[in-house]
Amino acid sequence: LAGISLSGCTTSIGGNRDEGIGYRLKRHSEIEAIRKWRTCRDEALKLDNQARAQAEVARYLASAKLLEKCESDVGPGAASVNSEERMRAYALAIQNYLKGGDVTRARKSLEAFKEKHPNKDLYYPNGASFMATFEILLGLKDRKAVDQFATNNATGSLKDELRRTIYWKNH
């Protein structure tokens, strides 16, 4: 009787074993994709740090291109990578395109960012909005409308600089 009851347990466990292996393989693939994305991102961050340390425009552009490549290569396997982590990396790419002098590519990347992450934004430590700041910097909002600066959550230094520029153009 004990042998029969044990064989019943073995049969029911055996039916779920294939699902467990499939889940493990899928999870392993996800972890590997995440690992590849983070390795790629870390390489781009090294280029960014070198660009800041040595003030090299070409490294900013290389970092931005690599960050975009990391994002485009991420695939569905790394969909579980933290959305905000990916947003920050993509935002850094946009910033680095601007620092590297490729304003056109920065604009295109910002538009792609908006499409990929609709109604989402990142915030600087001072509370300023990434989207508002870069829309003004990239000329996507009218820089001459000083009244609008108060309602935009852009950085204070950016608003002050644009107000100063407008003042000196008019006086």
Side-chain angles (χ1 to χ4, degrees):
L1 187 60
I4 294 172
S5 63
L6 285 177
S7 66
C9 290
T10 306
T11 305
S12 65
I13 292 172
N16 292 332
R17 195 171 90 209
D18 291 337
E19 290 176 21
I21 291 172
Y23 171 78
R24 288 185 193 128
L25 288 173
K26 183 180 175 188
R27 185 68 184 137
H28 177 71
S29 296
E30 286 178 6
I31 290 170
E32 195 59 34
I34 292 168
R35 187 175 296 136
K36 284 180 183 177
W37 181 84
R38 287 190 174 140
T39 301
C40 182
R41 183 216 43 205
D42 291 346
E43 286 298 315
L45 291 177
K46 285 179 188 175
L47 286 172
D48 177 65
N49 287 333
Q50 292 170 356
R52 273 188 277 140
Q54 299 168 358
E56 289 186 27
V57 174
R59 287 190 197 249
Y60 280 120
L61 293 174
S63 171
K65 288 176 184 174
L66 185 54
L67 284 165
E68 277 194 336
K69 183 182 181 315
C70 297
E71 184 62 26
S72 67
D73 291 350
V74 75
S80 60
V81 173
N82 184 338
S83 174
E84 189 170 325
E85 185 179 1
R86 289 174 59 192
M87 285 173 58
R88 283 192 312 261
Y90 206 83
L92 181 61
I94 296 165
Q95 179 177 305
N96 284 350
Y97 276 127
L98 184 61
K99 285 180 177 181
D102 194 345
V103 177
T104 304
R105 187 72 183 259
R107 283 184 186 137
K108 287 179 184 177
S109 296
L110 183 63
E111 291 304 319
F113 181 91
K114 287 180 190 179
E115 288 176 24
K116 188 153 184 109
H117 306 285
N119 302 319
K120 291 188 178 181
D121 200 353
L122 296 169
Y123 296 93
Y124 292 105
N126 65 0
S129 160
F130 166 77
M131 296 299 287
T133 299
F134 273 81
E135 285 175 343
I136 292 171
L137 281 172
L138 296 172
L140 300 174
K141 290 199 176 186
D142 185 14
R143 294 178 182 173
K144 296 177 183 174
V146 178
D147 298 341
Q148 289 181 1
F149 294 154
T151 60
N152 281 313
N153 189 15
T155 61
S157 59
L158 173 63
K159 292 178 194 179
D160 292 343
E161 186 63 24
L162 291 172
R163 285 186 186 109
R164 185 187 66 73
T165 303
I166 291 168
Y167 175 82
W168 287 110
K169 281 184 179 180
N170 295 325
H171 293 90

